[in-house]
Amino acid sequence: MPTALSNPRALLNIQKLLPLAFGTARSATFLAGFVSSFWAGVCLTRSVLLARLLPFVSHDFWDGPYGCIMAGCLISGSSIWIEDGRRRGEIGLYVLPRAIRSYLPHRWLKSGGRGVQAVER
């Protein structure tokens, strides 16, 4: 879309159109792989695999942040290797603040004090 808006004549040049099409396909494949692998990890952990292997563990644990959500995040992170190296760096800068936030204590974040706001900014 950015190329179509900023330089529509580039779409008429086959030498520029092919790399653009491959880049678009790669990004779409990354996004599809990311979302599908996340939900596959959630489903495998919550109902198909781990919940059945460990029936003595409460469903509240699997629904919490250290259960199926963590499994989905760990599995979906490997889809980053589909993207181009330059784009991996851009995506890394996008997710870095969330990754840092995941290490902070949940109770402290919920307090909403000035220190929390300062650290998030």
Side-chain angles (χ1 to χ4, degrees), residues 6-66:
S6 65
N7 189 11
R9 290 184 185 236
L11 297 175
L12 300 175
N13 187 353
I14 193 76
Q15 291 176 345
K16 292 184 180 180
L17 184 63
L18 284 176
L20 184 64
F22 285 129
T24 302
R26 180 181 286 151
S27 291
T29 304
F30 159 72
L31 187 58
F34 183 85
V35 171
S36 62
S37 62
F38 177 82
W39 286 110
V42 168
C43 290
L44 283 172
T45 302
R46 188 172 191 278
S47 57
V48 177
L49 187 64
L50 288 180
R52 289 189 181 180
L53 286 175
L54 304 169
F56 53 87
V57 177
S58 169
H59 279 291
D60 291 337
F61 175 78
W62 297 122
D63 291 340
Y66 300 113

Side-chain angles (χ1 to χ4, degrees), residues 26-118:
R26 180 181 286 151
S27 291
T29 304
F30 159 72
L31 187 58
F34 183 85
V35 171
S36 62
S37 62
F38 177 82
W39 286 110
V42 168
C43 290
L44 283 172
T45 302
R46 188 172 191 278
S47 57
V48 177
L49 187 64
L50 288 180
R52 289 189 181 180
L53 286 175
L54 304 169
F56 53 87
V57 177
S58 169
H59 279 291
D60 291 337
F61 175 78
W62 297 122
D63 291 340
Y66 300 113
C68 60
I69 296 170
M70 187 170 87
C73 291
L74 290 173
I75 293 171
S76 65
S78 63
S79 64
I80 192 70
W81 300 110
I82 296 172
E83 265 299 350
D84 187 29
R86 180 180 57 85
R87 293 277 298 152
R88 274 182 276 191
E90 293 172 2
I91 293 169
L93 288 174
Y94 177 74
V95 299
L96 183 63
R98 281 293 190 189
I100 292 171
R101 189 177 192 269
S102 69
Y103 284 104
L104 300 175
H106 186 66
R107 270 186 252 160
W108 183 67
L109 291 171
K110 285 289 188 182
S111 70
R114 289 184 183 174
V116 174
Q117 292 175 355

